[in-house]
Amino acid sequence: MATDISILGLGLMGSALAGTLLKAGHRVTVWNRSAAKAEPLAAQGAAVAGTAAEAVLASPLVIVCVLDYAATRQLLDGADLAGRTVLNLTNGRPAEARETAAWVTGLGGDYLDGGIMAVPQMIGAPGALILYSGSPAAFDRHEPALTALAEPRYLGEDPGLAPLYDLAMLTGMYGQFAGFLGAAALIASERRSVAEFTESLLVPWLHAMAAITPPMGTQIDAGDHATDVANLEVNRVALANLETTFREQGVRPDLLLPLKAIVDRRVAGGHGAEDLSALVEELR
């Protein structure tokens, strides 16, 4: 069923959202500070609002995708939010989401927060995921339209949950990239092909290691860090060897050192027999 939807913010992601909704047959109104960014979408059938307030008035569902929450508040300030759902797909912090939700609901609107787990090119395609939290009634009402963008995953009524999960998933991603970059620097130090190493060896190895993270999650939930494989003392020695090898190869171990420091600290505290999952206790 076609729905009226407004999009505020037409960067790469906002434009992808708007274009996908248009292709799905929805009636889309767009607005952007730089009006030229709306032209390709207008050619696809989008209505172009003259102001952000006009875009808000055009639709019961208003999607905001801008740089930060301060920009979101600035765009919506003075707009009539009564009876409308604001879906904020701007990256931010849980505290900001809760503050923005209180502000929107205080003005008579419903609020949903979202975390986009995809790059713009993935929107509307298999593999894209968007996390949602906030008003359950608003999510139920708009879920059919939102499904056109990505797999929708509703996390709960607390609007801070979507950004919390978003940032947690980004943490895992950045950790993976940090490991890749360190590994790549080691291989490159001997003028070997990083691309070949990554495709034939590293990626299969990372897939295998990813399979052990769900059991580690169970250990963390239970607070039980016993292990019958490589304990923290074994990992301490391995990380010491890694640091030395990095330096001998003329490679900076900067991305590795924070992990090494926390392993050293945990072992020094008498927990060398524990699993790597125990490091979470040092982060609490």
Side-chain angles (χ1 to χ4, degrees):
M1 183 174 65
T3 304
D4 292 306
I5 304 172
S6 292
I7 309 282
L8 277 63
L10 299 176
L12 293 175
M13 184 59 77
S15 294
L17 297 171
T20 300
L21 290 170
L22 284 167
K23 289 176 183 175
H26 298 289
R27 296 179 293 272
V28 178
T29 298
V30 298
W31 177 87
N32 192 72
R33 287 191 190 278
S34 304
K37 289 189 175 181
E39 293 174 2
L41 294 163
Q44 298 173 48
V48 181
T51 66
E54 289 178 15
V56 170
L57 286 174
S59 308
L61 174 60
V62 180
I63 299 176
V64 185
C65 187
V66 291
L67 180 63
D68 55 30
Y69 279 65
T72 298
R73 290 283 291 266
Q74 185 180 32
L75 290 183
L76 296 177
D77 191 28
D80 183 5
L81 302 181
R84 289 171 174 78
T85 296
V86 173
L87 168 55
N88 191 12
L89 293 180
T90 298
N91 183 263
R93 310 188 322 274
E96 292 178 302
R98 293 172 184 132
E99 291 168 3
T100 305
W103 179 71
V104 169
T105 55
L107 294 173
D110 279 333
Y111 184 83
L112 286 170
D113 211 280
I116 302 176
M117 311 314 300
V119 296
Q121 294 80 0
M122 293 172 62
I123 297 299
L129 169 69
I130 299 181
L131 308 172
Y132 296 96
S133 61
S135 167
F139 178 77
D140 289 343
R141 187 162 59 249
H142 297 295
E143 183 182 7
L146 298 176
T147 301
L149 300 174
E151 177 193 341
R153 187 79 59 86
Y154 181 71
L155 299 173
E157 190 168 0
D158 176 359
L161 288 174
L164 178 71
Y165 275 62
D166 180 6
L167 294 175
M169 290 176 75
L170 288 176
T171 299
M173 180 196 75
Y174 284 122
Q176 176 177 286
F177 287 161
F180 161 71
L181 292 169
L186 273 183
I187 296 300
S189 71
E190 290 291 347
R191 303 185 186 279
R192 305 289 289 183
S193 171
V194 173
E196 181 182 349
F197 161 76
T198 302
E199 182 175 2
S200 65
L201 292 172
L202 184 60
V203 169
W205 168 247
L206 291 179
H207 278 302
M209 291 300 97
I212 72 172
T213 56
M216 289 179 72
T218 300
Q219 288 180 279
I220 292 168
D221 286 342
D224 179 2
H225 304 294
T227 180
D228 58 1
V229 290
N231 61 28
L232 284 177
E233 174 59 24
V234 171
N235 282 283
R236 183 193 66 78
V237 173
L239 286 162
N241 287 332
L242 275 170
E243 181 185 4
T244 301
T245 300
F246 267 71
R247 298 190 189 283
E248 290 173 344
Q249 294 294 125
V251 177
R252 295 174 63 98
D254 298 29
L255 294 172
L256 187 70
L257 293 180
L259 176 61
K260 182 178 181 298
I262 195 171
V263 170
D264 289 346
R265 184 168 72 240
R266 188 72 179 173
V267 171
H271 301 281
E274 293 178 330
D275 189 72
L276 275 169
S277 63
L279 297 183
V280 76
E281 307 299 342
E282 298 292 316
L283 302 176
R284 294 188 191 275

